[in-house]
Amino acid sequence: MKKTFYTLIVVIALLLIWEGAVLIFNIDSAFLPSPTAVFKEFFILIVTWDFWHHILATLARTMVGFSVATFVGLVLGITLGIFKGLYRVFE
């Protein structure tokens, strides 16, 4: 519990330092946007369909890749289990 509290304090302190540095030194937002600008854009991105469209596309590609790899591994495993000579070649 104590470790979590200290971690939270450090994260908040770093965010405050980041925000302060951007404001005090007038850093260009193209180079280093403030945390509030980042969170604002993140929120806008979350509520639009475009973000979820890309997330779903990525998940679909991941599942297809996992399914293909599982199928190939299963076929190779069964084949090597049936043909002991082939198993010894790949061993």
Side-chain angles (χ1 to χ4, degrees):
M1 178 71 181
K2 211 174 197 182
K3 185 178 179 183
T4 304
F5 177 72
Y6 289 136
T7 303
L8 184 62
I9 293 298
V10 169
V11 169
I12 290 171
L14 288 174
L15 287 173
L16 288 173
I17 291 169
W18 177 10
E19 184 77 36
V22 169
L23 292 174
I24 292 170
F25 298 112
N26 199 20
I27 300 174
D28 183 19
S29 64
F31 178 68
L32 182 67
S34 67
T36 52
V38 171
F39 289 131
K40 177 184 169 190
E41 289 300 319
F42 181 68
F43 179 74
I44 290 170
L45 192 63
I46 292 282
V47 297
T48 61
W49 169 246
D50 196 41
F51 173 77
W52 297 108
H53 170 73
H54 291 294
I55 292 293
L56 292 175
T58 300
L59 288 174
R61 288 184 194 117
T62 302
M63 291 308 297
V64 167
F66 180 77
S67 299
V68 168
T70 300
F71 177 74
V72 169
L74 186 64
V75 169
L76 283 175
I78 290 172
T79 303
L80 292 176
I82 292 172
F83 301 105
K84 299 298 180 187
L86 189 60
Y87 174 78
R88 279 186 238 114
V89 168
F90 286 103
E91 187 175 44

